[in-house]
Amino acid sequence: MNLIDTHCHLTFEPLDDDVPAVVERSRQAGVGGWITVGTNLADSRKAVELVSQYDGMYAAVGIHPHDAKDAIEDALDELRRLAQRPKVVAVGETGLDFHYNFSKRPDQKRVFAAHLAMARELGLPVIIHCRNALDETIEVLDRHGRGLKRVVFHCFSGTARQAESLLTKGYHLSFTGVVTFKNAAQTREAAKVVPLDRLMVETDCPYMSPEPVRGRKPNEPALMVHTARFLAELKGVDPDEFAEATTQTAATFFSLPSPSAR
Ligand SMILES: [Zn+2]
Ligand SMILES: [Zn+2]
């Protein structure tokens, strides 16, 4: 298997303490590519710096909806500069989180819209974080997302119907270890309707280790093989075929160089 962890936080504790070992275990397990995703300005800077040190590792830069309250004009300007650094392959994560509401909703919407404008201008895909805010997220995308290159809803855990409507709009969906959880029947039904050329796999580590290692902390990219195997079986596809197809989906989505050049 040769998988890409399309959404991880290798800059987060405790993974950031020993990235070389995390990367080595990941490669051994068959996960040889990583998109490490920034969640605020300082973290995005850290991500850009980190990816310069590893083959196959790329960064996304963004300000998480949780941190939207701190995103003043200057922050967005610096984010734009960061987005143009080498090996930055996406804008995000950005979006709306009305579950925690750590930032006020108008702030979240303003910063989300600014990310979309930036992504369009720079020709970069967007990684969307959406929690308890699907209708509003689609509203902002409808209004500000025209002409965007590509969009993925990360850690998708909605219904099959919602998945279908996002697919109709041309968006990609990405699944974490949540899909392996006992109580995630709805997410499994959703995963079934997503074709492999629109489906990506991620850990969102250090959070949420997949079954059968759910209790393991922290989660790390090596453990993504469990999610990939689970999804392959769920969709009735050979695991190697599944890996090849979804890795190709990720490589196309993020415009990654071909494996020999990675
Ligand atoms: Zn997220
Ligand atoms: Zn994340």
Side-chain angles (χ1 to χ4, degrees):
M1 271 203 269
N2 182 23
L3 294 157
I4 297 174
D5 184 348
T6 62
H7 187 119
C8 52
H9 298 285
L10 300 177
T11 56
F12 282 18
E13 286 177 354
L15 299 176
D16 66 336
D17 272 348
D18 200 3
V19 179
V22 169
V23 161
E24 184 49 33
R25 284 194 292 271
S26 182
R27 285 194 177 123
Q28 294 287 333
V31 183
W34 310 268
I35 314 288
T36 192
V37 180
T39 54
N40 59 41
L41 210 49
D43 185 46
S44 294
R45 259 185 234 126
K46 222 170 141 182
V48 170
E49 165 60 27
L50 182 69
V51 300
S52 70
Q53 302 169 37
Y54 295 91
D55 287 342
M57 194 184 291
Y58 299 87
V61 297
I63 298 170
H64 195 284
H66 289 345
D67 287 319
K69 56 182 178 307
D70 306 319
I72 50 166
E73 202 65 29
D74 283 358
L76 292 167
D77 283 346
E78 190 184 342
L79 194 67
R80 180 187 307 267
R81 282 192 292 276
L82 279 174
Q84 294 169 78
R85 295 278 297 276
K87 297 182 87 179
V88 174
V89 293
V91 169
E93 55 188 299
T94 180
L96 302 174
D97 192 315
F98 293 173
H99 178 73
Y100 289 109
N101 285 306
F102 288 157
S103 294
K104 291 207 177 78
R105 292 182 181 192
D107 277 338
Q108 293 192 35
K109 285 189 180 176
R110 170 181 60 84
V111 173
F112 180 26
H115 279 73
L116 297 181
M118 186 182 304
R120 184 178 47 238
E121 192 188 308
L122 300 174
L124 288 170
V126 183
I127 299 172
I128 298 217
H129 171 104
C130 169
R131 187 134 186 226
N132 282 11
L134 188 61
D135 290 347
E136 293 88 345
T137 299
I138 289 172
E139 223 177 87
V140 175
L141 275 166
D142 283 348
R143 193 170 316 155
H144 301 278
R146 209 166 286 168
L148 275 179
K149 191 170 178 154
R150 281 183 279 275
V151 172
V152 62
F153 278 70
H154 109 88
C155 193
F156 185 78
S157 53
T159 65
R161 246 184 115 159
Q162 288 168 338
E164 271 161 354
S165 79
L166 294 174
L167 290 168
T168 305
K169 287 183 174 285
Y171 302 145
H172 285 63
L173 276 67
S174 135
F175 293 89
T176 60
V178 166
V179 73
T180 69
F181 295 174
K182 217 172 240 151
N183 61 358
Q186 171 182 292
T187 306
R188 280 187 282 283
E189 289 310 305
K192 282 187 196 165
V193 305
V194 185
L196 295 185
D197 62 353
R198 297 284 200 88
L199 186 151
M200 295 193 279
V201 193
E202 58 168 301
T203 56
D204 204 13
C205 63
Y207 314 116
M208 294 183 300
S209 297
E211 294 288 3
V213 289
R214 187 170 174 181
R216 181 119 34 117
K217 276 184 185 144
N219 187 14
E220 60 176 59
L223 303 180
M224 201 183 82
V225 292
H226 297 292
T227 310
R229 280 201 205 103
F230 182 94
L231 279 165
E233 193 176 333
L234 180 74
K235 296 182 76 65
V237 189
D238 172 74
D240 287 323
E241 231 170 272
F242 176 86
E244 197 176 319
T246 54
T247 294
Q248 184 55 52
T249 303
T252 305
F253 184 91
F254 293 108
S255 303
L256 304 183
S258 66
S260 55
R262 255 176 232 160

